[in-house]
Amino acid sequence: MTTAVTVPDELSARVPAEQRGPGLDRDAVRLLVSRGTEVTHHAFREFPGLLRAGDVLVVNTSPTLAAAVTGRIGHARVVVHFSTCGDDGRWAVELREPDGRGTTRARAGVPAGAVVRLPGGARLVLEEPLSGRGDRLRWARPAGTEVLRVLREHGRPIRYSYTERDQPLSVYQTVFALPAPDGAGSAEMPSAARPFTERLVVELVSRGVQFAPVTLHTGVASAEAHEPPYPERFRVPQASARLINAARAGGGRVVAVGTTAVRAVESAAGPDGVVRAAGGWTDLVVTPARGVRAVEGLLTGLHEPEASHLLMLEAVAGRAAVGRAYEEALRGRYLWHEFGDVHLLLPPETTH
C-alpha cells in the first residue's frame, strides 16, 4: 500500500515556469526538501547550496522526441503515441483519440491487424500487446518510411489534459539532453531535470558537485491506469560508474535527478552497491522491498501518486518521509506535473 494523495485540479502546472511572467527562467519553481520527515521550503535557485562538494548528481541525457502523431484508422482520426523501438524494428505504441479539448483519451478495442495510416505515406500494422498486463501498449510494424522521420516531420510532444496548450519541442528538452547516435530518445521528458539552467549547472560545478551522465529512454506513461513502467533502454557509461563509486567511497552523496536516473543506476548496481558499466533493456521496478543500492538522494517532480512512482520514492526515503512531504506539498500549494515544482529527498543529517 502506498501513500494516498488527491491532487486538486488547480495545483496542476499548466504552462512552463518561464511563461508565467516576464523575466522568469526555468528555475523559477519551488523546491520542497525532505530530510527524513523534516521538511523545508526553498526556491529551486537555492538548490546548489543544499549540496556539498563531493556529491554527485546522476542526470539523464535522453532527449525528448516529438512522439505524438495524428493518423487514421479507416475514417476515424487517432493519435499515436510512439513509446519504444524494439530490437526487431517494431514500435510499442499507444493509440488514443482526440477528446475535443486539444488533448486525447485512451482508445480501446482496436484489433490486431488494423492499419493506421500516418502522414507522408507511412503505415503501422498493429500486432500483439506488449505484455500480458493489458493492451494499452501494442507492438506495431511500420511500413512506408522510417518512424523517426515521421516524428521529425509530423510529430509533436505528447501533451496531457492538465496543460493549457501545445508547446514547441524545445520546451520539453532538458539542459542535459544529448542527441542519440541512432536518433532514439524519450517519449516523455525526463522532467525532474527541467528546472536546471546553464547558470545553475555552472554554480554546482563551482561548488564541487560532479555530474554522472546516464541514459534511459523513457516510454509512454499510463495517464489513466498508472501502470508500472515497461522495459526501457538504458546505458550507464564506465566513466559515470567510476564517478558514482568514487563518491560513495569518499563520503559523497549520490543524488539521482529523476526516477529515470534511479532506474538506470540501480539497473547497473550489484548487490554490493558497486555500479558497473551496463546497457540494454531494464525491466527493474524499484520498490521498498527491493530497496536502492547506490542512490542515496533523489530530485523528482510532484506527480500524480501512481503506485510505481511513490514506491520508488519510498525505496529511497521511506514511507513516512514521502507521506509527510506530500502533505506539506498540498498544504503549501506546490504545483504538480512536468512543468511544476520539485522535491528533493536527502538522507537525514547525522550529528557527530
Side-chain angles (χ1 to χ4, degrees):
M1 182 176 175
T2 56
T3 310
V5 181
T6 302
V7 181
D9 286 346
E10 66 268 19
L11 295 187
S12 293
R14 304 197 181 279
V15 295
E18 64 273 21
Q19 296 178 16
R20 293 179 201 146
L24 297 180
D25 205 339
R26 289 179 172 220
D27 58 4
V29 296
R30 298 166 71 193
L31 174 64
L32 187 75
V33 179
S34 297
R35 294 181 180 88
T37 55
E38 177 196 337
V39 177
T40 54
H41 303 270
H42 304 264
F44 186 72
R45 292 189 183 98
E46 299 172 54
F47 176 68
L50 298 167
L51 300 183
R52 304 191 291 248
D55 288 346
V56 167
L57 289 174
V58 183
V59 296
N60 186 1
T61 62
S62 178
T64 308
L65 300 175
V69 179
T70 299
R72 289 191 178 275
I73 298 178
H75 296 294
R77 192 160 162 255
V78 296
V79 177
V80 182
H81 286 178
F82 286 87
S83 184
T84 307
C85 184
D87 293 333
D88 60 1
R90 295 188 300 170
W91 278 77
V93 302
E94 180 184 31
L95 281 189
R96 299 179 70 85
E97 59 189 7
D99 61 4
R101 296 178 296 171
T103 50
T104 61
R105 57 178 169 247
R107 180 188 173 100
V110 181
V115 176
V116 183
R117 289 177 288 117
L118 299 174
R123 300 183 308 282
L124 290 176
V125 180
L126 297 180
E127 297 185 352
E128 77 276 12
L130 192 61
S131 84
R133 288 187 216 156
D135 63 356
R136 181 181 71 87
L137 286 178
R138 305 271 296 274
W139 286 114
R141 191 172 296 281
T145 187
E146 62 176 30
V147 167
L148 290 174
R149 180 175 179 179
V150 175
L151 300 188
R152 284 194 304 271
E153 295 180 358
H154 304 285
R156 58 191 180 278
I158 289 174
R159 176 190 157 207
Y160 291 115
S161 58
Y162 49 77
T163 56
E164 187 174 289
R165 57 181 176 269
D166 285 343
Q167 298 282 352
L169 185 59
S170 59
V171 164
Y172 290 88
Q173 302 295 5
T174 74
V175 72
F176 303 113
L178 294 171
D182 59 358
S186 289
E188 298 181 4
M189 172 176 56
S191 56
R194 192 184 188 281
F196 285 82
T197 61
E198 292 179 7
R199 182 197 63 77
L200 201 83
V201 171
V202 170
E203 183 179 348
L204 284 159
V205 171
S206 73
R207 288 174 175 264
V209 175
Q210 294 181 287
F211 290 85
V214 300
T215 304
L216 186 134
H217 298 312
T218 185
V220 176
S222 172
E224 289 87 12
H226 302 316
E227 301 163 342
Y230 285 89
E232 294 167 324
R233 291 181 186 272
F234 82 105
R235 179 173 176 266
V236 176
Q238 181 66 53
S240 294
R242 281 200 300 263
L243 195 61
I244 291 166
N245 294 332
R248 286 170 54 82
R253 296 170 298 183
V254 177
V255 179
V257 177
T259 56
T260 61
V262 175
R263 195 181 202 197
V265 170
E266 292 295 320
S267 296
D272 55 0
V274 175
V275 177
R276 296 169 177 84
W281 292 89
T282 177
D283 59 1
L284 176 67
V285 178
V286 177
T287 64
R290 189 269 188 189
V292 287
R293 298 169 175 174
V295 170
E296 298 154 87
L298 171 62
L299 179 73
T300 181
L302 295 163
H303 299 282
E304 290 291 352
E306 66 272 20
S308 61
H309 179 79
L310 284 189
L311 285 172
M312 182 181 284
L313 269 60
E314 290 171 11
V316 174
R319 187 174 185 193
V322 176
R324 173 88 176 105
Y326 271 58
E327 288 172 6
E328 279 294 305
L330 288 170
R331 185 178 296 117
R333 300 190 66 75
Y334 278 68
L335 294 181
W336 253 250
H337 303 302
E338 67 264 34
F339 297 143
D341 299 317
V342 282
H343 178 202
L344 176 64
L345 300 104
L346 291 173
E349 295 289 349
T350 54
T351 54
H352 300 282

